[in-house]
Coordinates of all heavy atoms in Angstrom, one line a residue:
D174 N 49.4 30.4 45.9 CA 48.1 31.1 46.1 C 48.2 32.0 47.3 O 49.2 32.2 47.9 CB 47.0 30.1 46.2 CG 47.2 29.1 47.4 OD1 47.7 29.6 48.4 OD2 46.9 27.9 47.3
H175 N 47.0 32.6 47.6 CA 47.0 33.6 48.7 C 46.8 33.0 50.1 O 46.7 33.7 51.1 CB 45.9 34.6 48.4 CG 46.1 35.5 47.2 ND1 45.6 35.2 46.0 CD2 46.9 36.6 47.1 CE1 46.0 36.1 45.1 NE2 46.8 37.0 45.8
Q176 N 46.6 31.6 50.1 CA 46.2 31.0 51.4 C 47.3 30.3 52.1 O 47.2 30.0 53.3 CB 45.1 30.0 51.1 CG 43.7 30.7 50.9 CD 43.5 31.2 49.5 OE1 44.0 30.5 48.6 NE2 42.9 32.3 49.3
G177 N 48.4 30.0 51.4 CA 49.4 29.2 52.1 C 50.7 29.1 51.3 O 50.9 30.0 50.4
Y178 N 51.6 28.2 51.7 CA 52.9 28.1 51.0 C 53.4 26.7 51.3 O 53.0 26.0 52.2 CB 53.9 29.1 51.5 CG 54.0 29.2 53.0 CD1 54.8 28.2 53.7 CD2 53.3 30.1 53.7 CE1 54.9 28.3 55.1 CE2 53.4 30.2 55.1 CZ 54.2 29.3 55.8 OH 54.3 29.3 57.1
R179 N 54.4 26.3 50.4 CA 55.1 25.0 50.7 C 56.5 25.4 51.1 O 57.2 26.3 50.6 CB 55.2 24.3 49.3 CG 55.9 22.9 49.4 CD 55.6 22.2 48.1 NE 56.3 22.8 46.9 CZ 57.5 22.5 46.5 NH1 58.3 21.7 47.2 NH2 58.0 23.2 45.5
V180 N 57.0 24.8 52.2 CA 58.3 25.1 52.7 C 59.4 24.4 51.9 O 59.4 23.2 51.7 CB 58.5 24.7 54.2 CG1 59.9 24.9 54.7 CG2 57.5 25.4 55.1
L181 N 60.3 25.2 51.3 CA 61.5 24.7 50.5 C 62.7 24.4 51.4 O 63.4 23.5 51.2 CB 61.9 25.7 49.4 CG 60.8 26.0 48.4 CD1 61.3 27.2 47.5 CD2 60.5 24.8 47.5
G182 N 62.8 25.3 52.4 CA 64.0 25.1 53.4 C 63.7 26.0 54.6 O 63.0 26.9 54.5
R183 N 64.3 25.6 55.7 CA 64.2 26.3 56.9 C 65.5 26.2 57.7 O 66.3 25.4 57.4 CB 63.0 25.8 57.7 CG 63.1 24.4 58.2 CD 62.0 23.9 59.1 NE 60.8 23.6 58.5 CZ 59.6 24.3 58.7 NH1 59.6 25.3 59.5 NH2 58.5 23.9 58.2
T184 N 65.6 27.1 58.8 CA 66.8 27.0 59.5 C 66.8 25.8 60.4 O 65.8 25.4 61.0 CB 67.0 28.3 60.4 OG1 68.3 28.2 61.0 CG2 65.9 28.5 61.4
L185 N 68.0 25.2 60.5 CA 68.2 24.0 61.4 C 68.5 24.4 62.8 O 68.5 23.6 63.7 CB 69.3 23.1 60.8 CG 69.1 22.7 59.4 CD1 70.3 21.9 58.9 CD2 67.8 21.9 59.2
D186 N 68.9 25.7 63.0 CA 69.3 26.1 64.4 C 68.7 27.5 64.6 O 67.6 27.7 64.9 CB 70.8 26.0 64.6 CG 71.6 26.4 63.4 OD1 71.5 27.5 62.9 OD2 72.4 25.5 62.9
D187 N 69.6 28.5 64.6 CA 69.2 29.9 64.9 C 68.5 30.5 63.7 O 68.7 30.1 62.5 CB 70.4 30.8 65.2 CG 71.1 30.4 66.5 OD1 70.5 29.6 67.2 OD2 72.2 30.8 66.7
A188 N 67.6 31.5 63.9 CA 67.0 32.3 62.8 C 68.0 33.4 62.4 O 68.9 33.7 63.2 CB 65.7 32.9 63.3
A189 N 67.9 33.9 61.2 CA 68.8 34.9 60.7 C 68.8 36.1 61.6 O 69.9 36.7 61.9 CB 68.4 35.3 59.3
G190 N 67.6 36.6 62.1 CA 67.5 37.7 63.0 C 68.2 37.4 64.3 O 68.9 38.3 64.9
E191 N 68.1 36.2 64.7 CA 68.7 35.8 66.0 C 70.3 35.9 65.8 O 71.0 36.3 66.7 CB 68.3 34.3 66.2 CG 68.3 33.9 67.7 CD 67.7 32.5 67.7 OE1 67.1 32.0 66.8 OE2 68.0 31.8 68.8
A192 N 70.7 35.4 64.6 CA 72.2 35.5 64.4 C 72.6 37.0 64.4 O 73.7 37.3 64.9 CB 72.5 34.9 63.0
F193 N 71.8 37.9 63.8 CA 72.2 39.3 63.9 C 72.2 39.7 65.3 O 73.1 40.4 65.8 CB 71.1 40.1 63.1 CG 71.5 40.4 61.7 CD1 70.9 39.7 60.6 CD2 72.5 41.4 61.4 CE1 71.2 40.0 59.3 CE2 72.8 41.6 60.1 CZ 72.2 40.9 59.0
D194 N 71.2 39.3 66.1 CA 71.1 39.8 67.5 C 72.2 39.3 68.4 O 72.8 40.0 69.2 CB 69.7 39.4 68.1 CG 68.6 40.1 67.4 OD1 68.8 41.1 66.8 OD2 67.4 39.5 67.5
K195 N 72.6 38.0 68.2 CA 73.7 37.4 69.0 C 75.0 38.0 68.6 O 75.9 38.3 69.4 CB 73.7 35.9 68.9 CG 72.5 35.3 69.6 CD 72.4 33.8 69.5 CE 71.2 33.3 70.3 NZ 70.9 31.8 70.0
G196 N 75.2 38.2 67.3 CA 76.5 38.9 66.8 C 76.6 40.3 67.4 O 77.6 40.7 67.9
A197 N 75.4 41.0 67.4 CA 75.4 42.4 67.9 C 75.7 42.4 69.4 O 76.5 43.2 69.8 CB 74.0 43.0 67.6
R198 N 75.2 41.4 70.1 CA 75.5 41.3 71.5 C 77.0 41.1 71.8 O 77.6 41.7 72.6 CB 74.7 40.2 72.1 CG 74.7 40.1 73.6 CD 73.8 39.0 74.0 NE 73.6 39.1 75.5 CZ 72.7 38.4 76.1 NH1 71.8 37.7 75.4 NH2 72.6 38.5 77.4
M199 N 77.6 40.2 71.0 CA 79.0 40.0 71.2 C 79.9 41.2 70.8 O 81.0 41.4 71.4 CB 79.5 38.8 70.3 CG 79.0 37.4 70.8 SD 79.7 36.1 69.8 CE 78.3 35.5 68.9
L200 N 79.3 42.0 69.9 CA 80.1 43.2 69.6 C 79.7 44.4 70.5 O 80.1 45.6 70.2 CB 79.8 43.6 68.1 CG 80.5 42.6 67.1 CD1 79.9 42.8 65.7 CD2 82.0 42.7 67.1
G201 N 79.0 44.1 71.5 CA 78.7 45.2 72.5 C 77.5 46.1 72.1 O 77.4 47.2 72.7
L202 N 76.7 45.7 71.2 CA 75.6 46.5 70.7 C 74.3 46.1 71.5 O 74.3 45.0 72.1 CB 75.4 46.4 69.2 CG 76.6 46.6 68.4 CD1 76.4 46.2 66.9 CD2 77.1 48.0 68.5
G203 N 73.3 46.9 71.5 CA 72.1 46.6 72.3 C 71.2 45.5 71.7 O 71.5 44.9 70.7
Y204 N 70.0 45.3 72.2 CA 69.0 44.4 71.7 C 67.7 45.1 71.3 O 67.3 46.0 72.0 CB 68.7 43.3 72.8 CG 67.6 42.4 72.3 CD1 67.9 41.3 71.6 CD2 66.2 42.7 72.6 CE1 66.9 40.4 71.1 CE2 65.2 41.9 72.1 CZ 65.6 40.7 71.4 OH 64.5 39.9 70.9
P205 N 67.1 44.7 70.2 CA 67.6 43.8 69.2 C 68.6 44.5 68.4 O 68.6 45.7 68.1 CB 66.3 43.5 68.3 CG 65.4 44.7 68.5 CD 65.7 45.3 69.9
G206 N 69.6 43.7 67.9 CA 70.9 44.4 67.4 C 71.0 44.4 65.9 O 72.1 44.9 65.4
G207 N 70.0 43.9 65.1 CA 70.2 43.8 63.7 C 70.5 45.2 63.1 O 71.5 45.3 62.3
A208 N 69.7 46.1 63.4 CA 69.9 47.5 62.8 C 71.2 48.1 63.3 O 71.9 48.8 62.5 CB 68.7 48.3 63.1
A209 N 71.5 47.9 64.5 CA 72.7 48.5 65.1 C 74.0 47.8 64.4 O 75.0 48.5 64.1 CB 72.8 48.3 66.6
L210 N 73.9 46.5 64.2 CA 75.0 45.9 63.5 C 75.2 46.4 62.1 O 76.3 46.6 61.6 CB 74.8 44.3 63.6 CG 76.0 43.5 63.2 CD1 76.1 42.3 64.1 CD2 76.1 43.1 61.8

Side-chain angles (χ1 to χ4, degrees):
D174 58 36
H175 293 95
Q176 284 80 37
Y178 52 79
R179 182 168 66 88
V180 176
L181 300 170
R183 61 172 80 243
T184 185
L185 302 178
D186 39 57
D187 294 346
E191 206 176 346
F193 267 106
D194 294 338
K195 289 179 177 169
R198 189 179 190 164
M199 285 186 250
L200 291 167
L202 307 170
Y204 174 86
L210 193 141

